[in-house]
Amino acid sequence: MEHACSHRVDHDLSNRPADKRAGFARWLVSKDCTDCWKAARDADSASKEKWLAEKRAEEQEAAATWAKQFDMPQLEGPAKALDWGERSRHQLMMAAHTALVVEGSWDEADWAELEEKARSITRAGWWIDQRDAEDTDLLELLDAATEADRGTENPFR
């Protein structure tokens, strides 16, 4: 059979019922051969990984710039969680600011109080755990944080 990629491949269709072979053969020739399909899949996977790495780098840079601008403390925890925690904190804080101040009824004094509470949470894992939280719930979440989420009391984060 000649596949859509123009490669010729012999296929054994004897394991298919006789009344299904013609339809399966039509379907096969409309597709790339196995080698071309795998190559396209692998290339697509590599391009997705590259895109994701570039996106994460952009997000990390934005989070670091924001943290410096708003005097946010360095997060603590395992090395592999630090960048993720910073991105999670940045995204949640930006979403909360939009929801509560820009689109909501909070003034800058209310927001400054929330920012101060956010500065006290330095455990990266806490921010990662809250990454899917509703932006309007941030104040309640900050109030519910434990002492282990603040400062350096717990060396096993």
Side-chain angles (χ1 to χ4, degrees), residues 92-125:
L92 184 56
M93 291 290 290
M94 295 302 293
H97 186 270
T98 299
L100 300 171
V101 178
V102 176
E103 297 171 353
S105 59
W106 282 34
D107 60 22
E108 287 302 321
D110 294 330
W111 182 253
E113 187 178 321
L114 183 139
E115 264 186 348
E116 200 54 41
K117 288 181 182 189
R119 283 186 189 93
S120 73
I121 309 297
T122 57
R123 188 173 70 84

Side-chain angles (χ1 to χ4, degrees), residues 5 9 12 16 22 31-32 40 45-46 53 55 59 62 67 69 90 112 122-123 129-130 134 145 151-152:
C5 60
V9 178
D12 179 8
R16 301 245 170 222
K31 305 295 178 196
D32 287 347
S45 178
K55 179 137 176 78
E59 290 172 351
Q69 179 182 355
H90 176 244
T122 57
R123 188 173 70 84
D129 291 345
Q130 311 315 317
E134 290 294 320
T152 57

Side-chain angles (χ1 to χ4, degrees), residues 59-76:
E59 290 172 351
Q60 195 63 43
E61 185 177 335
T65 300
W66 172 85
K68 185 175 181 180
Q69 179 182 355
F70 291 98
D71 199 28
M72 290 291 161
Q74 287 288 105
L75 296 180
E76 301 167 346

Side-chain angles (χ1 to χ4, degrees), residues 3 10 15-16 38 42 75 90 104 109-110 122 131 137 154:
H3 287 270
D10 290 332
N15 63 342
R16 301 245 170 222
K38 285 181 181 178
D42 292 346
L75 296 180
H90 176 244
D110 294 330
T122 57
R131 70 187 179 276
D137 291 341
N154 183 357

Side-chain angles (χ1 to χ4, degrees), residues 13-82:
L13 302 182
S14 64
N15 63 342
R16 301 245 170 222
D19 62 337
K20 305 243 187 239
R21 288 182 195 147
F24 186 66
R26 270 192 307 278
W27 179 81
L28 277 174
V29 298
S30 72
K31 305 295 178 196
D32 287 347
C33 71
T34 302
D35 292 340
C36 289
W37 175 80
K38 285 181 181 178
R41 180 196 63 192
D42 292 346
D44 190 42
S45 178
S47 67
K48 283 181 186 174
E49 288 176 22
K50 181 182 177 198
W51 175 85
L52 184 58
E54 289 171 357
K55 179 137 176 78
R56 286 278 152 69
E58 289 171 13
E59 290 172 351
Q60 195 63 43
E61 185 177 335
T65 300
W66 172 85
K68 185 175 181 180
Q69 179 182 355
F70 291 98
D71 199 28
M72 290 291 161
Q74 287 288 105
L75 296 180
E76 301 167 346
K80 66 181 185 178
L82 295 178

